[in-house]
Amino acid sequence: LVFIMQELISKYGFKSFQFRDPVFGLKKGFIEEFCLAIIKSGLECQWGMETRIDLLDESKLRLMKKSGLKSINIGIETPNIEVAAANKRKICPDDHQKNIIEFAYKNKIRINAFYIMGLEEDNLDTCNETIDYSLNLNTYMARYSVCTPYPGTRYYDDLNKENRLSSKDLSNFNQQELVYKHKNLDTIMIKKLIQKAYIKYYFRPKVI
């Protein structure tokens, strides 16, 4: 990977890289090995990546910062334990999330957090809980999207078998449209919640 980065810098003058791997660093020791390779090679570049926040700690962040890390995308999705469990998702302990985000902020590493509305068992209360939680974490950026069962996934197949898909037009599978029959929410409610989330997050005086 570092060799490829060297080639891109040498041939095309690239100065920044973004790794789109949602489990970057899942393999034990990979992050340390990768960062040390960058430092040893003397590459002058900036990079960002996606990962799970439970895979991070302060020592890793220090090393990643030293190797040129500028930003991290993390999928928080929901803070609600019941909603997470219903969607087979694991919630990272709240104190660890806040500590990592605070440490990253102090070290000028941008944390971009992703949240999902319309997960199974979500309702108006749990979606508002997600919005409030995002305001509390106060990351550099927050992105809100609609739960989307992509074709080819088990989730899509399950909804299809249950006759719960409300659209099979692939242009609607864009993280902004509700494409399945939700137990507690409809399309209008979802759109209002997404709009509310963005307004509350980005129209705060300190953000403006």
Side-chain angles (χ1 to χ4, degrees), residues 5 14 19 45-47 50 55 64 80 82 97 117 205:
M5 293 168 68
F14 284 17
F19 300 104
C45 65
Q46 298 179 351
W47 59 282
E50 296 181 18
L55 298 176
M64 293 159 78
N80 188 280
E82 289 76 20
Q97 284 195 136
M117 304 286 185

Side-chain angles (χ1 to χ4, degrees), residues 137-159:
L137 283 186
N138 193 36
T139 52
Y140 176 78
M141 186 198 79
R143 189 184 77 182
Y144 308 89
S145 59
V146 180
C147 180
T148 304
Y150 292 108
T153 63
R154 175 182 286 184
Y155 187 32
Y156 178 95
D157 292 340
D158 289 344
L159 290 174

Side-chain angles (χ1 to χ4, degrees), residues 15-204:
K15 291 295 183 180
S16 62
F17 301 86
Q18 180 69 32
F19 300 104
R20 299 298 306 276
D21 181 352
V23 290
F24 191 98
L26 183 61
K27 182 180 178 181
K28 187 176 182 180
F30 172 78
I31 287 179
E32 293 87 343
E33 182 181 345
F34 175 66
C35 293
L36 289 172
I38 291 178
I39 295 169
K40 185 178 180 180
S41 69
L43 288 182
E44 294 185 4
C45 65
Q46 298 179 351
W47 59 282
M49 55 94 164
E50 296 181 18
T51 193
R52 292 190 343 222
I53 199 166
D54 61 301
L55 298 176
L56 301 174
D57 56 42
E58 293 184 4
S59 63
K60 285 181 181 177
L61 286 176
R62 289 192 191 95
L63 183 61
M64 293 159 78
K65 174 67 177 179
K66 187 176 180 180
S67 69
L69 177 73
K70 296 298 290 184
S71 66
I72 304 175
N73 296 339
I74 57 172
I76 294 178
E77 300 183 350
T78 177
N80 188 280
I81 296 175
E82 289 76 20
V83 172
N87 293 270
K88 299 180 176 62
R89 282 161 165 82
K90 180 181 178 182
I91 285 186
C92 179
D94 183 57
D95 57 344
H96 180 75
Q97 284 195 136
K98 290 180 178 178
N99 289 340
I100 289 297
I101 290 171
E102 183 178 348
F103 185 82
Y105 176 79
K106 290 179 179 178
N107 286 272
K108 297 182 179 180
I109 299 171
R110 295 176 175 177
I111 298 288
N112 307 313
F114 300 161
Y115 303 91
I116 297 180
M117 304 286 185
L119 291 163
E120 296 283 2
E121 301 303 323
D122 249 338
N123 54 45
L124 285 175
D125 289 338
T126 60
C127 287
N128 281 313
E129 179 185 347
T130 297
I131 295 172
D132 291 341
Y133 189 74
S134 70
L135 295 171
N136 184 41
L137 283 186
N138 193 36
T139 52
Y140 176 78
M141 186 198 79
R143 189 184 77 182
Y144 308 89
S145 59
V146 180
C147 180
T148 304
Y150 292 108
T153 63
R154 175 182 286 184
Y155 187 32
Y156 178 95
D157 292 340
D158 289 344
L159 290 174
N160 194 30
K161 289 177 183 177
E162 296 169 9
N163 197 31
R164 292 178 59 198
L165 290 172
S166 55
S167 173
K168 292 190 178 181
D169 180 350
L170 295 183
S171 65
N172 292 327
F173 288 70
N174 53 25
Q175 296 189 337
Q176 298 301 314
E177 303 287 338
L178 185 64
V179 294
Y180 74 99
K181 300 170 186 175
H182 197 281
K183 183 167 65 175
N184 302 311
L185 303 166
D186 59 32
T187 298
I188 294 176
M189 295 164 70
I190 283 287
K191 287 184 177 294
K192 285 184 177 180
L193 284 164
I194 294 287
Q195 184 181 54
K196 176 182 179 180
Y198 277 113
I199 290 174
K200 291 194 72 171
Y201 199 92
Y202 289 104
F203 279 76
R204 291 175 292 167

